[in-house]
Short mmCIF file of all heavy atoms in Angstrom, two decimals:
data_model
loop_
_atom_site.label_atom_id
_atom_site.label_comp_id
_atom_site.label_asym_id
_atom_site.label_seq_id
_atom_site.Cartn_x
_atom_site.Cartn_y
_atom_site.Cartn_z
N ARG B 126 153.85 -184.41 -121.83
CA ARG B 126 153.61 -184.47 -120.39
C ARG B 126 153.14 -185.86 -120.02
O ARG B 126 152.79 -186.70 -120.92
CB ARG B 126 152.53 -183.45 -120.03
CG ARG B 126 153.03 -182.01 -120.21
CD ARG B 126 152.05 -181.01 -119.65
NE ARG B 126 152.48 -179.67 -119.81
CZ ARG B 126 153.34 -179.07 -119.06
NH1 ARG B 126 153.82 -179.69 -117.99
NH2 ARG B 126 153.68 -177.81 -119.29
N SER B 127 153.11 -186.06 -118.71
CA SER B 127 152.59 -187.34 -118.25
C SER B 127 151.21 -187.69 -118.86
O SER B 127 150.35 -186.86 -118.91
CB SER B 127 152.36 -187.28 -116.70
OG SER B 127 151.81 -188.45 -116.18
N GLY B 128 151.10 -188.87 -119.40
CA GLY B 128 149.79 -189.28 -120.05
C GLY B 128 149.83 -189.11 -121.52
O GLY B 128 148.97 -189.69 -122.22
N ASN B 129 150.75 -188.30 -122.08
CA ASN B 129 150.80 -188.13 -123.54
C ASN B 129 151.55 -189.31 -124.11
O ASN B 129 152.39 -189.93 -123.49
CB ASN B 129 151.67 -186.86 -123.92
CG ASN B 129 150.96 -185.59 -123.60
OD1 ASN B 129 151.57 -184.60 -123.23
ND2 ASN B 129 149.68 -185.59 -123.69
N SER B 130 151.16 -189.68 -125.27
CA SER B 130 151.71 -190.92 -125.89
C SER B 130 151.87 -190.76 -127.42
O SER B 130 150.98 -190.18 -128.06
CB SER B 130 150.81 -192.11 -125.61
OG SER B 130 151.16 -193.24 -126.38
N ILE B 131 152.97 -191.18 -127.94
CA ILE B 131 153.24 -191.09 -129.37
C ILE B 131 153.63 -192.50 -129.89
O ILE B 131 154.46 -193.11 -129.28
CB ILE B 131 154.30 -190.08 -129.71
CG1 ILE B 131 153.79 -188.68 -129.52
CG2 ILE B 131 154.86 -190.29 -131.18
CD1 ILE B 131 154.85 -187.60 -129.84
N SER B 132 152.95 -192.93 -130.91
CA SER B 132 153.25 -194.20 -131.50
C SER B 132 153.40 -193.97 -132.96
O SER B 132 152.47 -193.47 -133.62
CB SER B 132 152.15 -195.21 -131.18
OG SER B 132 152.50 -196.45 -131.64
N TYR B 133 154.54 -194.34 -133.55
CA TYR B 133 154.74 -194.00 -134.99
C TYR B 133 155.68 -195.04 -135.61
O TYR B 133 156.70 -195.44 -134.96
CB TYR B 133 155.41 -192.64 -135.07
CG TYR B 133 155.51 -192.12 -136.50
CD1 TYR B 133 154.43 -191.73 -137.24
CD2 TYR B 133 156.80 -191.96 -137.09
CE1 TYR B 133 154.55 -191.29 -138.53
CE2 TYR B 133 156.97 -191.50 -138.37
CZ TYR B 133 155.81 -191.15 -139.13
OH TYR B 133 155.94 -190.70 -140.43
N PRO B 134 155.34 -195.51 -136.83
CA PRO B 134 156.21 -196.59 -137.41
C PRO B 134 157.60 -196.13 -137.81
O PRO B 134 158.52 -196.94 -137.96
CB PRO B 134 155.44 -197.04 -138.60
CG PRO B 134 154.42 -195.98 -138.86
CD PRO B 134 154.16 -195.25 -137.61
N GLY B 135 157.78 -194.82 -138.06
CA GLY B 135 159.10 -194.33 -138.47
C GLY B 135 159.89 -193.74 -137.28
O GLY B 135 159.74 -194.25 -136.20
N HIS B 136 160.73 -192.78 -137.56
CA HIS B 136 161.50 -192.12 -136.52
C HIS B 136 160.64 -191.11 -135.85
O HIS B 136 159.72 -190.52 -136.47
CB HIS B 136 162.79 -191.51 -137.07
CG HIS B 136 163.58 -192.43 -137.98
ND1 HIS B 136 164.12 -193.60 -137.44
CD2 HIS B 136 163.85 -192.41 -139.24
CE1 HIS B 136 164.77 -194.20 -138.40
NE2 HIS B 136 164.63 -193.51 -139.57
N VAL B 137 160.97 -190.76 -134.62
CA VAL B 137 160.24 -189.67 -133.90
C VAL B 137 161.26 -188.68 -133.38
O VAL B 137 162.29 -189.04 -132.74
CB VAL B 137 159.44 -190.27 -132.68
CG1 VAL B 137 158.81 -189.17 -131.88
CG2 VAL B 137 158.34 -191.18 -133.23
N ILE B 138 160.95 -187.43 -133.67
CA ILE B 138 161.85 -186.33 -133.22
C ILE B 138 161.03 -185.42 -132.31
O ILE B 138 160.00 -184.95 -132.73
CB ILE B 138 162.46 -185.55 -134.36
CG1 ILE B 138 163.21 -186.52 -135.32
CG2 ILE B 138 163.35 -184.45 -133.93
CD1 ILE B 138 163.43 -185.96 -136.68
N ILE B 139 161.48 -185.19 -131.10
CA ILE B 139 160.74 -184.24 -130.23
C ILE B 139 161.58 -183.07 -129.97
O ILE B 139 162.79 -183.16 -129.60
CB ILE B 139 160.45 -184.95 -128.86
CG1 ILE B 139 159.88 -186.34 -128.97
CG2 ILE B 139 159.67 -184.02 -127.90
CD1 ILE B 139 158.44 -186.33 -129.42
N VAL B 140 161.03 -181.92 -130.15
CA VAL B 140 161.71 -180.70 -129.79
C VAL B 140 161.00 -180.21 -128.55
O VAL B 140 159.91 -179.66 -128.67
CB VAL B 140 161.72 -179.61 -130.91
CG1 VAL B 140 162.40 -178.35 -130.44
CG2 VAL B 140 162.38 -180.19 -132.17
N GLY B 141 161.53 -180.52 -127.40
CA GLY B 141 160.92 -180.24 -126.08
C GLY B 141 161.26 -181.34 -125.17
O GLY B 141 162.07 -182.22 -125.52
N ASP B 142 160.71 -181.35 -123.94
CA ASP B 142 161.01 -182.42 -122.99
C ASP B 142 160.00 -183.58 -123.11
O ASP B 142 158.93 -183.41 -123.59
CB ASP B 142 160.93 -181.85 -121.54
CG ASP B 142 162.00 -180.78 -121.31
OD1 ASP B 142 162.94 -180.70 -122.05
OD2 ASP B 142 161.82 -180.03 -120.32
N VAL B 143 160.46 -184.69 -122.61
CA VAL B 143 159.52 -185.87 -122.51
C VAL B 143 159.50 -186.16 -120.98
O VAL B 143 160.44 -186.67 -120.40
CB VAL B 143 160.03 -187.10 -123.27
CG1 VAL B 143 159.09 -188.24 -123.09
CG2 VAL B 143 160.16 -186.74 -124.72
N ASN B 144 158.40 -185.79 -120.36
CA ASN B 144 158.32 -185.83 -118.90
C ASN B 144 158.01 -187.24 -118.42
O ASN B 144 157.52 -188.06 -119.22
CB ASN B 144 157.18 -184.93 -118.38
CG ASN B 144 157.59 -183.43 -118.43
OD1 ASN B 144 158.77 -183.16 -118.74
ND2 ASN B 144 156.70 -182.54 -118.12
N PRO B 145 158.23 -187.51 -117.17
CA PRO B 145 157.92 -188.86 -116.62
C PRO B 145 156.43 -189.16 -116.82
O PRO B 145 155.65 -188.24 -116.63
CB PRO B 145 158.23 -188.73 -115.17
CG PRO B 145 159.09 -187.54 -114.98
CD PRO B 145 158.83 -186.69 -116.17
N GLY B 146 156.09 -190.38 -117.22
CA GLY B 146 154.68 -190.66 -117.43
C GLY B 146 154.27 -190.58 -118.88
O GLY B 146 153.18 -191.00 -119.26
N ALA B 147 155.12 -189.90 -119.67
CA ALA B 147 154.83 -189.84 -121.14
C ALA B 147 155.57 -191.03 -121.85
O ALA B 147 156.50 -191.57 -121.32
CB ALA B 147 155.39 -188.53 -121.72
N GLU B 148 155.03 -191.47 -123.02
CA GLU B 148 155.68 -192.60 -123.67
C GLU B 148 155.75 -192.34 -125.14
O GLU B 148 154.91 -191.76 -125.77
CB GLU B 148 154.99 -193.93 -123.32
CG GLU B 148 153.57 -193.99 -123.88
CD GLU B 148 152.98 -195.41 -123.73
OE1 GLU B 148 153.46 -196.20 -122.92
OE2 GLU B 148 152.02 -195.66 -124.44
N ILE B 149 156.87 -192.85 -125.74
CA ILE B 149 157.03 -192.80 -127.18
C ILE B 149 157.39 -194.21 -127.64
O ILE B 149 158.27 -194.86 -127.13
CB ILE B 149 158.19 -191.86 -127.56
CG1 ILE B 149 157.98 -190.49 -127.02
CG2 ILE B 149 158.35 -191.82 -129.05
CD1 ILE B 149 159.14 -189.55 -127.16
N ILE B 150 156.65 -194.65 -128.70
CA ILE B 150 156.94 -195.95 -129.31
C ILE B 150 157.23 -195.70 -130.77
O ILE B 150 156.36 -195.18 -131.46
CB ILE B 150 155.80 -196.94 -129.10
CG1 ILE B 150 155.55 -197.20 -127.65
CG2 ILE B 150 156.09 -198.25 -129.90
CD1 ILE B 150 154.24 -197.83 -127.32
N ALA B 151 158.43 -196.00 -131.19
CA ALA B 151 158.81 -195.68 -132.58
C ALA B 151 159.33 -196.92 -133.30
O ALA B 151 160.05 -197.72 -132.66
CB ALA B 151 159.89 -194.56 -132.62
N GLY B 152 159.07 -197.05 -134.54
CA GLY B 152 159.65 -198.12 -135.31
C GLY B 152 161.11 -197.93 -135.56
O GLY B 152 161.86 -198.89 -135.67
N GLY B 153 161.49 -196.66 -135.62
CA GLY B 153 162.91 -196.34 -135.87
C GLY B 153 163.52 -195.64 -134.69
O GLY B 153 163.38 -196.12 -133.53
N ASP B 154 164.27 -194.57 -134.92
CA ASP B 154 165.02 -193.90 -133.88
C ASP B 154 164.17 -192.91 -133.15
O ASP B 154 163.12 -192.45 -133.66
CB ASP B 154 166.19 -193.16 -134.47
CG ASP B 154 167.15 -194.01 -135.25
OD1 ASP B 154 167.15 -195.29 -134.99
OD2 ASP B 154 167.81 -193.56 -136.16
N ILE B 155 164.64 -192.48 -131.94
CA ILE B 155 163.94 -191.47 -131.17
C ILE B 155 164.96 -190.39 -130.81
O ILE B 155 166.01 -190.72 -130.26
CB ILE B 155 163.29 -192.02 -129.91
CG1 ILE B 155 162.19 -193.02 -130.28
CG2 ILE B 155 162.74 -190.88 -129.04
CD1 ILE B 155 161.62 -193.83 -129.15
N ILE B 156 164.70 -189.20 -131.22
CA ILE B 156 165.65 -188.12 -130.91
C ILE B 156 164.85 -187.07 -130.11
O ILE B 156 163.81 -186.59 -130.54
CB ILE B 156 166.19 -187.50 -132.23
CG1 ILE B 156 166.97 -188.60 -132.93
CG2 ILE B 156 167.05 -186.29 -131.94
CD1 ILE B 156 167.34 -188.29 -134.39
N VAL B 157 165.40 -186.71 -128.98
CA VAL B 157 164.75 -185.66 -128.15
C VAL B 157 165.66 -184.49 -127.95
O VAL B 157 166.76 -184.64 -127.35
CB VAL B 157 164.38 -186.31 -126.77
CG1 VAL B 157 163.73 -185.24 -125.88
CG2 VAL B 157 163.48 -187.51 -126.91
N TRP B 158 165.30 -183.38 -128.46
CA TRP B 158 166.00 -182.16 -128.27
C TRP B 158 165.45 -181.56 -126.96
O TRP B 158 164.65 -180.63 -127.03
CB TRP B 158 165.90 -181.27 -129.47
CG TRP B 158 166.80 -180.08 -129.39
CD1 TRP B 158 166.42 -178.79 -128.98
CD2 TRP B 158 168.20 -180.03 -129.69
NE1 TRP B 158 167.58 -177.99 -128.99
CE2 TRP B 158 168.66 -178.72 -129.43
CE3 TRP B 158 169.12 -180.97 -130.17
CZ2 TRP B 158 169.97 -178.34 -129.64
CZ3 TRP B 158 170.41 -180.61 -130.31
CH2 TRP B 158 170.86 -179.30 -130.07
N GLY B 159 165.89 -182.07 -125.86
CA GLY B 159 165.36 -181.72 -124.56
C GLY B 159 165.69 -182.83 -123.56
O GLY B 159 166.50 -183.67 -123.85
N ARG B 160 164.95 -182.78 -122.46
CA ARG B 160 165.19 -183.81 -121.43
C ARG B 160 164.29 -184.99 -121.63
O ARG B 160 163.05 -184.83 -121.75
CB ARG B 160 164.90 -183.23 -120.04
CG ARG B 160 166.00 -182.22 -119.67
CD ARG B 160 165.56 -181.57 -118.35
NE ARG B 160 164.46 -180.76 -118.55
CZ ARG B 160 164.31 -179.52 -118.04
NH1 ARG B 160 165.28 -179.01 -117.35
NH2 ARG B 160 163.24 -178.81 -118.28
N LEU B 161 164.88 -186.10 -121.69
CA LEU B 161 164.07 -187.38 -121.82
C LEU B 161 163.92 -188.08 -120.52
O LEU B 161 164.92 -188.66 -119.99
CB LEU B 161 164.73 -188.30 -122.90
CG LEU B 161 164.14 -189.71 -123.01
CD1 LEU B 161 162.67 -189.76 -123.14
CD2 LEU B 161 164.77 -190.40 -124.24
N ARG B 162 162.74 -188.00 -119.91
CA ARG B 162 162.56 -188.59 -118.57
C ARG B 162 161.43 -189.62 -118.63
O ARG B 162 161.21 -190.30 -117.63
CB ARG B 162 162.16 -187.51 -117.58
CG ARG B 162 163.36 -186.52 -117.37
CD ARG B 162 162.85 -185.34 -116.58
NE ARG B 162 163.90 -184.52 -116.12
CZ ARG B 162 163.76 -183.35 -115.51
NH1 ARG B 162 162.52 -182.95 -115.25
NH2 ARG B 162 164.75 -182.60 -115.13
N GLY B 163 160.75 -189.70 -119.68
CA GLY B 163 159.63 -190.69 -119.76
C GLY B 163 160.05 -192.07 -120.24
O GLY B 163 161.24 -192.36 -120.10
N THR B 164 159.15 -192.84 -120.75
CA THR B 164 159.48 -194.19 -121.24
C THR B 164 159.47 -194.13 -122.77
O THR B 164 158.62 -193.60 -123.41
CB THR B 164 158.34 -195.13 -120.76
OG1 THR B 164 158.47 -195.23 -119.37
CG2 THR B 164 158.58 -196.52 -121.35
N VAL B 165 160.56 -194.71 -123.37
CA VAL B 165 160.68 -194.73 -124.80
C VAL B 165 160.98 -196.12 -125.32
O VAL B 165 161.65 -196.87 -124.63
CB VAL B 165 161.69 -193.70 -125.32
CG1 VAL B 165 161.22 -192.33 -125.08
CG2 VAL B 165 163.07 -193.97 -124.78
N HIS B 166 160.47 -196.50 -126.44
CA HIS B 166 160.79 -197.71 -127.10
C HIS B 166 161.12 -197.45 -128.58
O HIS B 166 160.26 -197.09 -129.42
CB HIS B 166 159.59 -198.66 -127.02
CG HIS B 166 159.90 -200.07 -127.39
ND1 HIS B 166 159.02 -201.11 -127.35
CD2 HIS B 166 161.02 -200.62 -127.92
CE1 HIS B 166 159.54 -202.19 -127.77
NE2 HIS B 166 160.75 -201.93 -128.14
N ALA B 167 162.44 -197.55 -128.88
CA ALA B 167 162.90 -197.38 -130.26
C ALA B 167 163.01 -198.72 -130.93
O ALA B 167 163.22 -199.74 -130.29
CB ALA B 167 164.22 -196.57 -130.29
N GLY B 168 162.96 -198.77 -132.25
CA GLY B 168 163.07 -200.01 -133.00
C GLY B 168 162.02 -201.05 -132.52
O GLY B 168 162.27 -202.22 -132.38
N ALA B 169 160.82 -200.48 -132.25
CA ALA B 169 159.73 -201.30 -131.65
C ALA B 169 159.38 -202.54 -132.52
O ALA B 169 158.86 -203.52 -131.95
CB ALA B 169 158.54 -200.46 -131.32
N SER B 170 159.61 -202.44 -133.81
CA SER B 170 159.27 -203.57 -134.65
C SER B 170 160.48 -204.50 -134.86
O SER B 170 160.46 -205.35 -135.78
CB SER B 170 158.63 -203.14 -135.95
OG SER B 170 159.25 -201.97 -136.42
N GLY B 171 161.46 -204.40 -134.02
CA GLY B 171 162.58 -205.31 -134.03
C GLY B 171 163.89 -204.85 -134.60
O GLY B 171 164.79 -205.58 -134.80
N ASP B 172 163.95 -203.53 -134.87
CA ASP B 172 165.23 -202.98 -135.44
C ASP B 172 166.26 -202.76 -134.28
O ASP B 172 166.17 -201.88 -133.49
CB ASP B 172 164.92 -201.66 -136.12
CG ASP B 172 166.17 -201.00 -136.74
OD1 ASP B 172 167.19 -201.67 -136.72
OD2 ASP B 172 166.08 -199.93 -137.27
N GLU B 173 167.31 -203.63 -134.31
CA GLU B 173 168.31 -203.54 -133.23
C GLU B 173 169.31 -202.42 -133.49
O GLU B 173 170.11 -202.12 -132.65
CB GLU B 173 169.07 -204.89 -133.19
CG GLU B 173 168.17 -206.06 -132.85
CD GLU B 173 168.87 -207.06 -132.00
OE1 GLU B 173 170.14 -207.23 -132.17
OE2 GLU B 173 168.19 -207.76 -131.18
N ASN B 174 169.24 -201.82 -134.66
CA ASN B 174 170.19 -200.72 -134.97
C ASN B 174 169.57 -199.37 -134.54
O ASN B 174 170.20 -198.35 -134.81
CB ASN B 174 170.49 -200.66 -136.44
CG ASN B 174 171.28 -201.92 -136.87
OD1 ASN B 174 172.15 -202.37 -136.17
ND2 ASN B 174 170.88 -202.52 -137.98
N ALA B 175 168.36 -199.40 -134.00
CA ALA B 175 167.73 -198.10 -133.67
C ALA B 175 168.50 -197.48 -132.53
O ALA B 175 169.17 -198.16 -131.70
CB ALA B 175 166.29 -198.38 -133.26
N ILE B 176 168.44 -196.13 -132.45
CA ILE B 176 169.11 -195.42 -131.39
C ILE B 176 168.12 -194.50 -130.77
O ILE B 176 167.06 -194.10 -131.26
CB ILE B 176 170.33 -194.62 -131.91
CG1 ILE B 176 169.85 -193.59 -133.04
CG2 ILE B 176 171.42 -195.52 -132.44
CD1 ILE B 176 170.91 -192.51 -133.32
N VAL B 177 168.50 -194.04 -129.53
CA VAL B 177 167.74 -193.02 -128.81
C VAL B 177 168.71 -191.96 -128.38
O VAL B 177 169.72 -192.27 -127.73
CB VAL B 177 167.03 -193.64 -127.53
CG1 VAL B 177 166.31 -192.52 -126.77
CG2 VAL B 177 166.07 -194.75 -127.90
N CYS B 178 168.48 -190.71 -128.76
CA CYS B 178 169.39 -189.65 -128.24
C CYS B 178 168.58 -188.60 -127.64
O CYS B 178 167.45 -188.34 -127.97
CB CYS B 178 170.31 -189.07 -129.29
SG CYS B 178 170.03 -189.55 -130.95
N ALA B 179 169.18 -187.92 -126.66
CA ALA B 179 168.54 -186.82 -125.94
C ALA B 179 169.61 -185.91 -125.43
O ALA B 179 170.75 -186.32 -125.10
CB ALA B 179 167.69 -187.36 -124.83
N LEU B 180 169.25 -184.65 -125.17
CA LEU B 180 170.18 -183.72 -124.59
C LEU B 180 170.41 -184.17 -123.17
O LEU B 180 171.54 -183.99 -122.58
CB LEU B 180 169.59 -182.31 -124.55
CG LEU B 180 169.45 -181.66 -125.96
CD1 LEU B 180 169.02 -180.22 -125.86
CD2 LEU B 180 170.80 -181.71 -126.73
N GLU B 181 169.32 -184.68 -122.48
CA GLU B 181 169.52 -185.26 -121.14
C GLU B 181 168.81 -186.62 -121.17
O GLU B 181 167.64 -186.69 -121.10
CB GLU B 181 168.90 -184.28 -120.11
CG GLU B 181 169.25 -184.67 -118.70
CD GLU B 181 168.61 -183.73 -117.69
OE1 GLU B 181 168.68 -182.50 -117.85
OE2 GLU B 181 167.98 -184.26 -116.75
N LEU B 182 169.62 -187.61 -121.25
CA LEU B 182 169.07 -188.96 -121.43
C LEU B 182 168.86 -189.65 -120.10
O LEU B 182 169.75 -190.37 -119.60
CB LEU B 182 170.01 -189.80 -122.36
CG LEU B 182 169.49 -191.18 -122.82
CD1 LEU B 182 168.40 -191.08 -123.76
CD2 LEU B 182 170.62 -191.96 -123.39
N THR B 183 167.77 -189.37 -119.46
CA THR B 183 167.46 -190.02 -118.15
C THR B 183 166.07 -190.60 -118.13
O THR B 183 165.20 -190.14 -117.35
CB THR B 183 167.57 -188.97 -116.97
OG1 THR B 183 166.83 -187.84 -117.32
CG2 THR B 183 169.04 -188.54 -116.79
N PRO B 184 165.75 -191.55 -119.08
CA PRO B 184 164.45 -192.04 -119.17
C PRO B 184 164.06 -192.91 -117.99
O PRO B 184 164.92 -193.48 -117.31
CB PRO B 184 164.44 -192.88 -120.45
CG PRO B 184 165.92 -193.28 -120.56
CD PRO B 184 166.70 -192.16 -120.03
#
Side-chain angles (χ1 to χ4, degrees):
Chain B
R126 296 187 180 277
S127 176
N129 291 145
S130 169
I131 286 179
S132 182
Y133 186 69
H136 309 297
V137 174
I138 303 160
I139 309 288
V140 179
D142 294 343
V143 178
N144 284 354
E148 65 172 19
I149 303 172
I150 298 163
D154 302 338
I155 296 170
I156 297 165
V157 179
W158 188 260
R160 289 175 291 227
L161 170 48
R162 293 167 171 177
T164 295
V165 293
H166 191 176
S170 38
D172 180 5
E173 299 213 329
N174 296 317
I176 58 166
V177 177
C178 9
L180 292 185
E181 191 183 311
L182 187 71
T183 51

